[in-house]
Each structure stands twice: as structure tokens, then as C-alpha cells.
Amino acid sequence: DKVHKRTMIGQHLLSWSTNWDAAMSKLRARGLPLPKIVGGDATELSWNNAALEGLVNYGKAGHIIVLTWHPSNPTNPSYGTHFHNLTTTQFKQMLDDSTTIGQNWQAEIDKIAPVLQRFQQNNIPVVFKPLHEQNAEWFWWGHNQVAGKALADRQLAFRNVWKDLVKNLTQDKGLDNLLFLFAASTVTYDKTVATTTYYPGSDLVDIVGIDVYQEQLNLGGSRIGKQHYVELSKTGKP
């Protein structure tokens, strides 16, 4: 909050677990205030109804809801989310409904649409964070060490997938409660590229962010990490 010089604290809940609200329960038990931001994973909420309804109730109570989305690999859903990075050709096939990859991708979108609609039905905005850390290699949608023209082709393919996702959810599914969050990873790990490498464009993004896996939250203390944070902030997005 640049105006009031304040920081919001949030909590990502264990949306896969029967004990999904454990973190908040501990705070309540100690009489401590609850974080203003709460969230989970959209795919996990598609089968964990208790967590879904719990987060809807948090939204009704005025909390900010943030849903990360880790869709399964459309080349083979049994792969899950990690590694098996798609080739650029496979990325392009995600938008072709005549291919198995395209059909699997649409099935992933169809799976989480009812989750997002549940919040819409209750007039709850959702900060939606799909395909995050795409500048690293550990998710199937991530960077795969290409450069030059091959990188430019991959950047365009990622933008087109993101653009189609925005269209699919907002126009085809009629969701008007989503704020799309583009989140990169810190660049202090091996095999990562700059945070804005796969930025799809300001016409398709509402908020930007950066995932930091380090308790000091200083981007690993690296000068390059701070530089790439600045580059992300130059998008002009919150």
C-alpha cells in the first residue's frame, strides 16, 4: 500500500487437506488477528468442498481471496504439475481442440470454472494466480532453456495460452470476478530467467507478483533479484 505505507499479511491454506483450516485455527486459539488475505489451490478446491465453502465464507467475511492454480500436464495428466516441460509445439497444441493436448487443457479449465463460479455467486472477487513461476523450469509450463528465436516463439506461445485462458474464463464462462495475477519466481535459483520473460502483456494482467522461497524476503539478497523485482514493478501493475 504505497499511500498508507502498510503491508498486508496472508495465509495460503492446506486446501488439499481435511485439516485445511489448521493455520487459521491456531491463530484463533491464541486470540490473534487473522490474516486479511487467505487462499488455496483452485484444483484442490474442485474436490475438497469443505475447503471451498470455508474459503467462500472467508470471502463473505471480507477477506481477500487468492487462488493459485496448478493444472495437470495436458500431454499426460498423470504427470501432475512438475517437470515434463512442454515443448513450444505442445504449447501451441493446447489451443487446438482437435488435439488430445488441447482437449486435456480444456478439461483442466472446465474443472476449476465451477470453483471460481462459486465465489462469483457470492459476489466475491478472486485474485487468480495461474501458471506461476513460469520463468523457472520446475513446472510443465515453465521455461525450458531456449534462447534467441526459439525463446521468442515460446514467449508468444505462452502469451497466447494466457490470452485464451483469460478469454475462456471471462467470456466463455462469464466470470466477472477475477483479477489475474502474473507471478514469476525469484531468479536466485539455477535455470531461471528474468521475471518479465513470459509477461503476457498489460492488457491481460491485473496484478504482478514474485514468489520468494526465503524467510528474509529480500530476493535472496542478490542484486540481480532486486533488479528483476524492479523490472516487474515497471509493468505499472499493482
Side-chain angles (χ1 to χ4, degrees):
D1 185 337
K2 293 181 179 179
V3 176
H4 301 289
K5 308 292 185 184
R6 296 182 300 184
T7 299
M8 278 186 161
I9 295 175
Q11 178 64 50
H12 184 88
L13 302 176
L14 301 177
S15 47
W16 55 270
S17 173
T18 55
N19 197 24
W20 64 272
D21 201 33
M24 302 290 261
S25 296
K26 290 178 181 178
L27 293 172
R28 286 193 204 92
R30 297 174 184 176
L32 297 172
L34 299 182
K36 187 62 178 176
I37 303 171
V38 291
D41 183 272
T43 296
E44 293 167 357
L45 295 180
S46 70
W47 48 262
N48 190 344
N49 193 63
L52 171 59
E53 293 306 313
L55 278 168
V56 167
N57 287 334
Y58 277 125
K60 288 180 180 179
H63 293 267
I64 296 172
I65 303 300
V66 179
L67 297 185
T68 306
W69 185 40
H70 299 88
S72 294
N73 192 316
T75 66
N76 187 337
S78 68
Y79 287 160
T81 61
H82 283 81
F83 301 107
H84 300 284
N85 299 56
L86 266 63
T87 65
T88 300
T89 297
Q90 290 171 326
F91 254 113
K92 295 175 181 178
Q93 290 177 355
M94 288 170 64
L95 305 185
D96 184 351
D97 291 339
S98 69
T99 66
T100 299
I101 290 175
Q103 293 164 8
N104 287 342
W105 174 239
Q106 186 60 51
E108 290 296 306
I109 297 174
D110 292 343
K111 184 190 302 179
I112 56 107
V115 170
L116 302 173
Q117 288 165 347
R118 187 77 185 93
F119 291 93
Q120 182 189 41
Q121 291 162 2
N122 287 277
N123 299 312
I124 300 168
V126 171
V127 177
F128 185 54
K129 179 183 174 182
L131 307 176
H132 69 142
E133 302 176 19
Q134 67 299 117
N135 62 318
E137 70 161 10
W138 44 77
F139 290 121
W140 62 257
W141 55 83
H143 180 66
N144 67 351
Q145 304 307 304
V146 291
K149 184 181 183 303
L151 175 58
D153 289 345
R154 190 170 184 82
Q155 289 170 309
L156 179 59
F158 184 88
R159 171 185 160 81
N160 288 338
V161 166
W162 184 283
K163 181 178 181 179
D164 184 74
L165 175 63
V166 172
K167 174 185 176 295
N168 200 311
L169 291 176
T170 61
Q171 297 182 30
D172 301 344
K173 306 291 187 187
L175 290 159
D176 59 2
N177 63 322
L178 304 181
L179 293 167
F180 287 86
L181 167 56
F182 173 84
S185 178
T186 49
V187 292
T188 53
Y189 293 95
D190 291 337
K191 299 181 180 178
T192 56
V193 290
T195 50
T196 53
T197 300
Y198 291 98
Y199 184 63
S202 294
D203 56 327
L204 300 171
V205 172
D206 298 297
I207 306 172
V208 295
I210 189 165
D211 294 354
V212 182
Y213 292 91
Q214 184 242 34
E215 292 184 359
Q216 286 72 37
L217 300 181
N218 66 354
L219 303 177
S222 75
R223 182 178 301 168
I224 190 170
K226 293 171 184 176
Q227 288 172 343
H228 285 308
Y229 179 88
V230 170
E231 285 302 309
L232 200 58
S233 69
K234 285 180 181 178
T235 62
K237 298 295 180 177

